[in-house]
Amino acid sequence: MTVIVVSGTGTEIGKTVTTAAVAAVALAAGRSVAVLKPAQTGVAPGGPGDAQEVTRLAGDGVTTLELARYPEPLAPDVAARRAGLAQVHPQDVADAAAKLATEHDLVLVEGAGGLLVRLDDEGGTLADAARLLDAPVLLVVTAGLGTLNSTALAAEALRARGVRQLGPVIGSWPADPDLASRCNLADLPKDAGTPLLGAVPEGAGSLHAPTFRAEAGSWLGPQLGGTWDGAVFAEREGLGTG
């Protein structure tokens, strides 16, 4: 059994679609998969959240669990406080993930927002939950200008907390990448301190679900069960050319 914490360098950068891709590849390999969403924000009661989106894309074989839901699209601690609802704490996340891990081959814990977004008034974060679980963090990053700094900061924060980074995945690779995005294919591993583990194409979440499942493995490296090759990808995308 394996627990992977999926976080990122910001919000709306492809964490859910990346989580779905990892889940789809694992399911195709015959593994049992659970996805834990500690805090869903910005979704009304009864509405489809990130966990439901993972199921839609990866398949009904995914077990999903949401610990808390807050209606306003804010950081979990603020959203909970404004809604008058209980906050989620890192230990809650760790306990729920550990229980799921006793029943599944792979547990993916998808955070809200960026790595150090607060879960509670004590300043607990998803990174703290990863430390409690002794689980690696899959860091979803952006492709273009500014990503090197945010990736380096996230990697430094993980090291300072004694949390292992599994590696970065580009959550939305542009259909027409600019020079910065292409150069970042070589520079992101330097700032992350680990090799790139994949690049999910822009718009992947809009694909027909069977197509998404069939193609997901080509977006992820062997460490995540896929066939993506960083060197081949960089050459194909014209790395270093104008």
Side-chain angles (χ1 to χ4, degrees), residues 9-231:
T9 54
T11 190
E12 300 298 325
I13 60 173
K15 290 190 302 296
T16 299
V17 176
T18 299
T19 299
V22 176
V25 170
L27 285 174
R31 304 177 73 191
S32 57
V33 181
V35 172
L36 171 63
K37 184 72 177 182
Q40 176 69 65
T41 64
V43 179
D50 292 343
Q52 289 72 33
E53 179 68 359
V54 170
T55 299
R56 183 186 72 81
L57 291 170
D60 292 334
V62 178
T63 299
T64 60
L65 176 62
E66 188 179 277
L67 296 186
R69 174 173 290 208
Y70 310 119
E72 294 180 317
L74 302 167
D77 65 328
V78 180
R81 195 182 313 123
R82 286 178 53 85
L85 297 172
Q87 295 179 331
V88 176
H89 306 284
Q91 190 64 60
D92 300 329
V93 181
D95 290 345
K99 184 177 187 302
L100 288 169
T102 65
E103 305 161 347
H104 298 83
D105 299 321
L106 174 65
V107 178
L108 300 170
V109 183
E110 186 200 341
L115 177 67
L116 298 186
V117 167
R118 291 187 300 275
L119 295 173
D120 58 28
D121 288 335
E122 291 72 48
T125 67
L126 193 67
D128 296 317
R131 179 178 51 79
L132 290 169
L133 284 161
D134 194 24
V137 171
L138 179 64
L139 192 65
V140 182
V141 304
T142 57
L145 201 63
T147 195
L148 299 181
N149 180 66
S150 57
T151 299
L153 288 171
E156 183 175 308
L158 288 172
R159 287 192 297 270
R161 288 162 175 78
V163 178
R164 181 167 64 93
Q165 183 194 167
L166 193 61
V169 169
I170 296 173
S172 181
W173 179 256
D176 184 20
D178 61 12
L179 178 61
S181 296
R182 289 185 280 120
C183 289
N184 286 342
L185 289 173
D187 290 330
L188 272 168
K190 301 174 188 175
D191 289 277
T194 63
L196 265 175
L197 300 187
V200 178
E202 182 181 54
S206 299
L207 292 173
H208 189 44
T211 302
F212 181 94
R213 296 165 199 165
E215 296 185 6
S218 67
W219 310 330
L220 304 172
Q223 303 93 324
L224 298 172
T227 59
W228 184 85
D229 185 301

Side-chain angles (χ1 to χ4, degrees), residues 173 177 179 182-183 185 232-242:
W173 179 256
L179 178 61
R182 289 185 280 120
C183 289
L185 289 173
V232 172
F233 185 82
E235 183 177 357
R236 188 189 79 196
E237 295 298 322
L239 175 61
T241 68

